[in-house]
Amino acid sequence: MMAPRLFRILIILAGIMGADGIILAAASAHQPDAARLASASSMLLFHATAVLAVVALSERGVIHLRIAIAAGFGFVIAATLFATDLTLRQYAGHSLFPMAAPTGGTLLIVSWLLLAVAAAWPRQV
């Protein structure tokens, strides 16, 4: 089955998100006027934990597998998009692309709603 491989990928990505979140937290603490980096850090750290929760709940069969995997990858993509945009604004003075952070934020909302649907959907037997 493909789920264990996808779970492993999600866990690896969550670990990278967590590490990047810590790096950005340290950078924001040591740079003046770095509120964007603090926001980027929080987004990565919070959603890295959410990705790990998605994997754990999926493996236990508490939530619908396919929907949960979509939510997990949505968290990764959206938080990365959001954090990358804020980091680029801080260091390069421009955004990733127009509306990148709001697009990431919207995808985060959709991913949280997908997680809710995964919990409400009948469990696969």
Side-chain angles (χ1 to χ4, degrees):
M1 182 173 210
M2 193 68 161
R5 179 176 291 169
L6 293 175
F7 290 157
R8 187 175 306 278
I9 290 168
L10 283 170
I11 293 166
I12 291 166
L13 292 171
I16 293 167
M17 289 169 65
D20 289 342
I22 296 298
I23 291 166
L24 289 172
S28 73
H30 296 287
Q31 293 181 5
D33 201 25
R36 287 183 178 131
L37 297 181
S39 294
S41 169
S42 295
M43 203 59 61
L44 288 170
L45 290 169
F46 187 80
H47 288 92
T49 305
V51 170
L52 296 175
V54 164
V55 170
L57 291 169
S58 296
E59 284 187 325
R60 292 184 54 94
V62 175
I63 56 178
H64 190 280
L65 179 64
R66 289 185 178 155
I67 298 171
I69 288 173
F73 278 105
F75 288 145
V76 170
I77 293 165
T80 301
L81 182 62
F82 187 91
T84 300
D85 187 64
L86 292 180
T87 303
L88 272 175
R89 287 173 190 239
Q90 179 71 31
Y91 289 119
H94 62 81
S95 65
L96 184 60
F97 58 84
M99 301 295 289
T103 301
T106 301
L107 183 55
L108 284 170
I109 294 167
V110 169
S111 297
W112 280 107
L113 292 172
L114 271 176
L115 182 58
V117 169
W121 202 271
R123 192 167 74 163
Q124 294 175 333
V125 181

